[in-house]
Amino acid sequence: MIPASALGERIMIIGPSNAGKSTLALALAAKLKLPVTHLDQLHHLPNTDWRPRPEAEFKALHDQAISAPSWIIEGNYSRYMPKRFERATGAILITSNRWLRLARYLKRTVISTSIRAGHLEGGREYVKWSMIDWILFKSPQRTTQNLKAMRAINIPTIECHTIKELKAIYQEWELPSAD
């Protein structure tokens, strides 16, 4: 595996919901001393039930974030992914078993009382059938598209397809534990 520093100063982290993008972004940012942007926080209005911003406002926030000299940006929003790939110096794709991601989603919405990495300020975490549908049935196709896009770019990339591989990243890069 390449060292974390080989990814440069503008790192994209993409992958399906509940794969661990936000947590990895925070851990990697602490190690590399880079600012983090969570795209869900740009896309949704704070203190709402995950209500999206107007598209022009989100686009402006996204473009402002990627114009910075250094960053870690986690999230997908594939319509703006090509712009991020143009500016990125490295990219990480995290995927995992959809049943594991569903379990993580249920844990964070039903069991956990802590605030999760990348949370929306004032946003409520609760079980939504639309999210379950997304995790189980819609995100696998999107993950295939993201993988294809990432393999077409000419920057250092890392593919992480299992929880074991993700734990290996944390260990090899000496990141704070994701557990």
Side-chain angles (χ1 to χ4, degrees), residues 32-99:
L32 299 177
K33 308 292 188 251
L34 297 173
V36 175
T37 298
H38 303 281
L39 289 179
D40 278 346
Q41 293 174 343
L42 298 185
H43 184 258
H44 298 94
L45 293 165
N47 301 305
T48 68
D49 187 20
W50 295 90
R51 194 172 90 225
R53 292 179 190 274
E55 188 63 25
E57 186 178 334
F58 172 53
K59 181 185 182 303
L61 290 169
H62 173 274
D63 291 353
Q64 179 182 8
I66 67 170
S67 70
S70 61
W71 41 259
I72 295 176
I73 296 180
E74 67 83 14
N76 297 306
Y77 300 95
S78 55
R79 61 195 176 275
Y80 298 124
M81 209 175 282
K83 284 184 165 188
R84 264 178 281 139
F85 277 136
E86 286 176 15
R87 291 272 306 143
T89 55
I92 302 170
L93 172 70
I94 302 175
T95 64
S96 61
N97 178 291
R98 63 184 165 178
W99 298 105

Side-chain angles (χ1 to χ4, degrees), residues 107-122:
K107 179 182 175 187
R108 86 174 195 211
T109 56
V110 176
I111 300 169
S112 180
T113 57
S114 62
I115 295 177
R116 72 175 179 89
H119 75 284
L120 179 65
E121 182 182 334

Side-chain angles (χ1 to χ4, degrees), residues 11 91 102 115 129 132 158 162:
I11 303 168
L102 177 62
I115 295 177
W129 292 112
I132 293 171
I158 294 175
T162 66

